Amino acid sequence: NGSHIFLLVAKIQAAYGYSKLLSERVSESYDIRRKEAKEGKQVKRNVPLWLNTDGTIKPEVAGAVKECFDLYVQGCGVHSIAVQIRRKNIEGLEKLSGPTISSWLKNKATIGIWANAEAQDEKDREEIDGCYPAVIEKERFYLVQRLMMERTAKPVRTGRNNFLSGLVVCSHCNSTMIVHNQYGKPNSFRCL
């Protein structure tokens, strides 16, 4: 309606310009932090739960993280590990869950590495060793990574192509009926 369209376009352009400038500033800030981390300087960023803001280790939480790795190597699942850690009543871990344990087991910060794995661009994906004090030995961390790969649940293949397979039962012998295919298409059910 008249001149209002020009005002709307101007506001949209101003909002886009502000958003782009903010994005560039944030990206530049991360680049500076990565550079400082490579030089071995203290990096100002969010720290993992087992560290204080000054980079020192919280002994009770770090002990719980170590115990999580040990229990996983022994064969415990992440949910049972979470239950065992919650029973210890450690401050900050009252609501610990299985997914949190799983993320700890995958987090390279446990071995002191700043892994920028969430970066969208390949050139920004890098790992900087020594940014954090390690709470787990590298051998133990990589053992858990291998175990996690081995223990991932694989989908069960039943070989059944029909959604009624295994559900229909013979009225005479009470055994499961199978789908009889004719010319590659389901034709009828039959009892073995």
Side-chain angles (χ1 to χ4, degrees):
N1 251 355
S3 63
H4 292 294
I5 188 74
F6 297 112
L7 184 60
L8 178 63
V9 169
K11 286 186 176 185
I12 291 172
Q13 286 179 333
Y16 173 75
Y18 177 74
S19 175
K20 185 175 180 186
L21 180 66
L22 198 59
S23 172
E24 289 170 357
R25 285 181 181 171
V26 169
S27 295
E28 187 176 318
S29 170
Y30 274 106
D31 290 341
I32 290 169
R33 289 186 217 171
R34 269 195 294 278
K35 181 182 170 209
E36 288 176 352
K38 286 179 184 176
E39 293 170 358
K41 296 179 183 174
Q42 181 74 26
V43 180
K44 195 175 190 181
R45 71 184 294 242
N46 291 336
V47 293
L49 182 67
W50 54 88
L51 295 177
N52 294 310
T53 53
D54 62 353
T56 58
I57 294 176
K58 295 178 185 175
E60 278 192 326
V61 180
V65 172
K66 288 179 186 177
E67 188 174 352
C68 292
F69 276 82
D70 293 339
L71 289 170
Y72 193 83
V73 168
Q74 293 171 14
C76 291
V78 291
H79 294 289
S80 62
I81 294 172
V83 169
Q84 290 183 41
I85 300 297
R86 276 195 310 259
R87 286 184 186 149
K88 295 182 182 290
N89 294 325
I90 299 171
E91 186 179 343
L93 302 182
E94 298 88 5
K95 296 182 179 181
L96 192 63
S97 65
T100 302
I101 299 293
S102 184
S103 70
W104 285 359
L105 296 175
K106 296 174 188 173
N107 193 344
K108 289 192 174 184
T110 56
I111 55 174
I113 295 176
W114 175 3
N116 191 19
E118 66 275 353
Q120 299 296 322
D121 195 5
E122 273 299 320
K123 71 177 179 70
D124 292 334
R125 291 186 187 178
E126 62 181 322
E127 295 179 351
I128 304 170
D129 201 358
C131 284
Y132 305 111
V135 292
I136 301 295
E137 306 82 26
K138 287 186 179 186
E139 297 80 18
R140 170 86 40 182
F141 177 81
Y142 289 113
L143 170 65
V144 167
Q145 302 316 299
R146 185 176 56 84
L147 290 174
M148 288 178 84
M149 291 294 293
E150 291 172 0
R151 293 180 188 169
T152 53
K154 294 170 182 68
V156 178
R157 287 273 304 149
T158 59
R160 299 176 182 162
N161 295 330
N162 192 298
F163 70 98
L164 292 174
S165 293
L167 298 177
V168 180
V169 179
C170 177
S171 61
H172 296 290
C173 66
N174 208 24
S175 67
T176 305
M177 298 183 77
I178 63 166
V179 178
H180 178 72
N181 292 326
Q182 193 171 21
Y183 305 114
K185 295 183 180 178
N187 185 33
S188 61
F189 283 95
R190 65 186 175 96
C191 178
L192 289 175

